[in-house]
Amino acid sequence: MADESETPLDPGCGDLDELLIFGSPETRRQFIKQVAGTGVAITIGINFVSASAVAAAPPAAASPKTSGDASIPVKLKINGKDYTLDVDPRTTLLDALRERLHLTGSKKGCDHGQCGACTVLVNGRRVNSCLTLAVVHESDEITTIEGLAKGEELHPMQAAFIEHDGFQCGYCTPGQICSAVALLKENHAKSDDEIREWMSGNICRCGAYPNILAAIKEAKTRA
């Protein structure tokens, strides 16, 4: 019994420092070095292949120029004057008036045809100029708020709006007046309710509707 002595294992060296990697004894340090070196080699190889592929790829073809990219000439008759413009075919009548001709009386409110601030007259009819293209109005008579007065003499509807305070901030007023002028020509002012109905496409966020109604009724007596 005394001759049977056990030899303690050395935890810091010997068999525990050796690992069988694919059947070959390797130390931890050697194994870590091999793994790190392999990872770096793979990363460099992938980056090199990617760079080579990009360099070898043919240059992308330029996008063909579409017809919408080119300006086209358009002749507009506005407030009795003839204008010739080169415009993008997608240009709205409102943008042509404000941005190209600097007739800024017509306002851009919602830009969706819901508020009526952009209302102009086309051949005497009310049109939301933010919803129609300039190029479709070459043969039309277009009248904006700037074209209603005769020199220093205000249009009767303009004078009535001033007399009855048919505005507060004034932003919607050009569209309101143009719409009201057409309303009288359309003979849709036979009653208060009819006026309200046919002016419902023009929104006044200040709430000056009673004054607008009074102004339209006053202008009707002057027409």
Side-chain angles (χ1 to χ4, degrees):
M1 298 270 313
D3 295 335
E4 295 179 0
S5 59
E6 295 183 358
T7 302
L9 295 176
D10 185 355
C13 60
D15 293 340
L16 293 183
D17 276 345
E18 293 184 354
L19 301 173
L20 288 177
I21 307 301
F22 300 112
S24 301
E26 299 285 350
T27 65
R28 289 188 180 91
R29 182 171 299 177
Q30 289 172 333
F31 174 67
I32 292 173
K33 287 181 179 180
Q34 290 177 359
V35 171
T38 303
V40 172
I42 292 174
T43 303
I44 293 175
I46 292 174
N47 291 338
F48 177 77
V49 172
S50 300
S52 299
V54 171
S63 301
K65 190 174 183 178
T66 62
S67 58
D69 296 330
S71 296
I72 61 174
V74 59
K75 295 181 180 179
L76 299 174
K77 189 171 185 178
I78 303 168
N79 300 329
K81 296 181 179 180
D82 294 323
Y83 298 90
T84 301
L85 302 173
D86 288 327
V87 299
D88 186 300
R90 299 164 293 184
T91 301
T92 64
L93 179 57
L94 177 61
D95 285 339
L97 292 172
R98 291 181 57 83
E99 307 299 333
R100 300 299 305 279
L101 299 176
H102 306 292
L103 296 172
T104 56
S106 304
K107 305 303 183 187
K108 180 177 285 192
C110 65
D111 208 24
H112 288 79
Q114 298 175 352
C115 71
C118 66
T119 303
V120 299
L121 304 179
V122 178
N123 299 327
R125 297 178 63 85
R126 295 177 274 185
V127 170
N128 289 327
S129 59
C130 74
L131 293 184
T132 186
L133 299 176
V135 295
V136 304
H137 294 291
E138 278 203 311
S139 60
D140 295 331
E141 293 276 350
I142 302 169
T143 304
T144 69
I145 188 68
E146 291 91 345
L148 291 180
K150 296 179 180 178
E152 298 296 324
E153 181 183 354
L154 294 177
H155 186 281
M157 188 64 71
Q158 292 173 306
F161 264 69
I162 293 174
E163 182 178 343
H164 290 275
D165 284 336
F167 53 88
Q168 288 188 37
C169 76
Y171 195 83
C172 73
T173 305
Q176 297 275 4
I177 291 176
C178 286
S179 189
V181 169
L183 176 138
L184 293 184
K185 292 183 177 179
E186 296 162 2
N187 196 26
H188 290 311
K190 294 185 289 292
S191 68
D192 289 2
D193 287 341
E194 186 176 37
I195 293 173
R196 293 189 186 98
E197 175 67 24
W198 286 88
M199 288 293 293
S200 61
N202 292 81
I203 296 174
C204 175
R205 292 181 173 86
C206 299
Y209 295 113
N211 304 53
I212 293 172
L213 176 62
I216 294 173
K217 293 169 66 176
E218 174 70 21
K220 182 183 177 181
T221 64
R222 301 180 183 180

